[in-house]
Amino acid sequence: MENTKPCKLLVTGGLGFIGSNFVRYMLNKYPDYELVNLDKVTYAGIPENLADVEADPRYRFVKGDITDEQTVNRIFEAGVDAVINFAAETHVDRSISNPSQFVITDVYGTYVLLEAARKFGVKRFIQISTDEVYGEAIDSPCLETGPLMPKSPYAASKAGADRLAYSYFTTFEVPVVITRCGNNFGPYQYPEKLISLLITNAIEDKPLPIYGDGQNRRDWIYVTDHCRALDTILHAEGIAGEVFNVGARQERTNLEIAHLILELLGKPRQLLTFVTDRPGHVRRHAVDVEKIKQKLGWQADTSFETGMQLTLQWYKEHQAWWRNIKTGEFLAYYRKHYGLN
Ligand code: NAD
Ligand code: TYD
């Protein structure tokens, strides 16, 4: 999409972790852009995440569901240049205990947005997919051309949406671009995911639950680097129909991460608690990022260690944010899932 101004963006799932970082990043960078944030405000959608931009006249929040055609069409009728679809159910563990909402939101919701994009026309539709669609990275980091072998209902729903988006390019010429990013970390991550859970539990002197032997590895990227990659993809010419992996080539085992967090917070290793493994637990996720580097000149520039320092600092300084979340719904989920208090 050309870097023409003004530009109207529809961001879905903007009250979540990556979406809220992206909205803030774009409003800061592009003074002439207008953003509509369509978010259902599920347990993971936290209005406070964007409290600082609520009054900005360039920003509009719509509380609604991406599966609701009427709401989606109403937004498109008012004009949308580009869609960035973050909205999804995102937690692998929850997809194992209760898959239905993952299929509904992640697949059907993406279909509703694609249909609106087809009907009303857009200059770009970025489908935020994930490296989890590849399944195991067995010998080497996964390439965009590799097979999709998702192993959880979450990953499989995202793979469905990923390929559905592609089909809207091949069949209806909707200018879709699909991104498959590795594991993000940073401010505003809901404290059910590994890094945000371990940091907040460690601050609270609670056990740090580690699945299996702790040797599973993920490819970690600091969230701001991801936002920058999406900005690059949003404005790049001639890439409709393409898939881009996004990552920082920073693989770490879960145990390495847990040790680092305990060390940086000065907490004892006795807090580590090995718990029952996740069914279908992917041993290794990792993505090859040569394509985005070569074709779009993007690469991550925050090291894992710097990102961890920034993230720890943020969680130390925003204790009210996560302490408030770690009550009610979260606590019920946590106790049931881990059998811990
Ligand atoms: P998140 O769970 O923090 O936020 C998801 C947001 O989507 C929430 O604000 C929620 O209210 C909203 N939402 C859920 N269902 C909705 C619906 N039906 N209609 C409208 N809004 C709805 O997720 P996240 O970690 O920020 O991930 C954002 C996107 O990035 C997802 O598509 C995810 O699959 C993808 N992704 C995440 C990671 C990661 O490491 N977090 C990595 C790669 C890709
Ligand atoms: P997670 O943050 O749930 O992301 P994903 O499963 O989508 O990659 O988990 C990251 C890794 O951490 C994964 O190997 C599972 C592991 N993990 C634990 O060991 N303990 C936990 O409590 C959680 C939430 C995750």
Side-chain angles (χ1 to χ4, degrees):
M1 194 181 81
E2 251 179 280
N3 204 345
T4 46
K5 294 178 179 181
C7 180
K8 284 184 168 183
L9 304 181
L10 168 58
V11 175
T12 68
L15 292 183
F17 163 46
I18 307 173
S20 61
N21 278 282
F22 181 75
V23 167
R24 190 174 294 101
Y25 175 95
M26 293 302 281
L27 288 173
N28 282 336
K29 181 155 175 198
Y30 297 102
D32 296 337
Y33 281 24
E34 288 174 29
L35 272 82
V36 174
N37 171 16
L38 171 62
D39 196 296
K40 184 179 172 182
V41 198
T42 67
Y43 77 93
I46 315 289
E48 211 185 317
N49 290 3
L50 286 177
D52 55 325
V53 308
E54 254 168 29
D56 190 320
R58 300 169 300 154
Y59 171 77
R60 188 161 74 89
F61 173 64
V62 177
K63 181 174 176 181
D65 193 321
I66 59 165
T67 65
D68 175 8
E69 239 172 85
Q70 273 187 355
T71 304
V72 168
N73 285 349
R74 223 176 301 127
I75 294 171
F76 274 85
E77 271 157 17
V80 170
D81 293 316
V83 179
I84 302 96
N85 182 26
F86 293 101
E89 288 293 335
T90 62
H91 194 35
V92 171
D93 294 323
R94 291 186 194 245
S95 84
I96 293 167
S97 50
N98 192 7
S100 67
Q101 197 56 47
F102 287 73
V103 180
I104 294 167
T105 289
D106 300 12
V107 185
Y108 186 76
T110 301
Y111 153 76
V112 171
L113 292 167
L114 288 164
E115 267 299 303
R118 162 158 99 108
K119 194 154 100 194
F120 292 93
V122 289
K123 294 180 191 141
R124 178 129 306 161
F125 188 116
I126 302 185
Q127 173 59 17
I128 309 292
S129 190
T130 162
D131 69 349
E132 307 215 8
V133 298
Y134 294 118
E136 298 282 353
I138 296 168
D139 299 320
S140 50
C142 297
L143 283 163
E144 287 86 347
T145 48
L148 305 189
M149 298 289 278
K151 287 182 73 178
S152 67
Y154 162 65
S157 302
K158 293 295 289 185
D162 177 315
R163 292 299 80 197
L164 191 65
Y166 180 66
S167 79
Y168 269 65
F169 167 71
T170 54
T171 313
F172 305 119
E173 295 177 0
V174 176
V176 164
V177 180
I178 295 144
T179 62
R180 298 183 186 147
C181 190
N183 283 59
N184 286 227
F185 68 110
Y188 299 102
Q189 184 162 34
Y190 193 85
E192 67 187 351
K193 305 282 165 55
L194 181 76
I195 289 185
S196 45
L197 178 69
L198 295 194
I199 291 175
T200 55
N201 275 16
I203 293 174
E204 293 184 287
D205 294 308
K206 284 188 172 171
L208 272 51
I210 304 294
Y211 298 152
D213 61 5
Q215 293 305 322
N216 303 64
R217 34 198 322 126
R218 297 290 182 266
D219 191 347
W220 294 94
I221 181 171
Y222 189 63
V223 65
T224 312
D225 277 335
H226 185 189
C227 294
R228 209 163 39 74
L230 294 174
D231 177 16
T232 305
I233 285 166
L234 180 65
H235 296 106
E237 298 288 334
I239 57 168
E242 298 207 25
V243 177
F244 288 93
N245 287 340
V246 179
R249 299 299 305 114
Q250 305 186 113
E251 289 185 54
R252 298 287 185 281
T253 67
N254 298 334
L255 212 49
E256 282 168 344
I257 291 175
H259 287 160
L260 180 64
I261 289 171
L262 290 172
E263 186 189 314
L264 291 172
L265 288 172
K267 302 283 182 173
R269 285 203 179 179
Q270 284 81 341
L271 286 179
L272 290 177
T273 305
F274 290 88
V275 297
T276 311
D277 206 354
R278 174 190 279 176
H281 195 177
V282 173
R283 201 71 179 158
R284 178 190 184 204
H285 281 306
V287 278
D288 183 293
V289 286
E290 279 311 299
K291 180 176 176 184
I292 190 169
K293 238 190 237 177
Q294 300 303 331
K295 200 155 182 168
L296 305 182
W298 175 89
Q299 62 179 16
D301 61 18
T302 310
S303 71
F304 184 75
E305 288 66 29
T306 302
M308 278 298 286
Q309 297 275 8
L310 293 169
T311 306
L312 274 164
Q313 198 56 31
W314 190 87
Y315 281 90
K316 276 197 235 166
E317 286 169 2
H318 293 79
Q319 297 205 22
W321 181 88
W322 57 263
R323 284 184 191 277
N324 200 26
I325 291 173
K326 288 180 106 175
T327 55
E329 190 280 340
F330 177 87
L331 210 54
Y333 158 78
Y334 183 82
R335 287 183 174 148
K336 183 161 181 247
H337 181 68
Y338 294 99
L340 296 167
N341 272 307

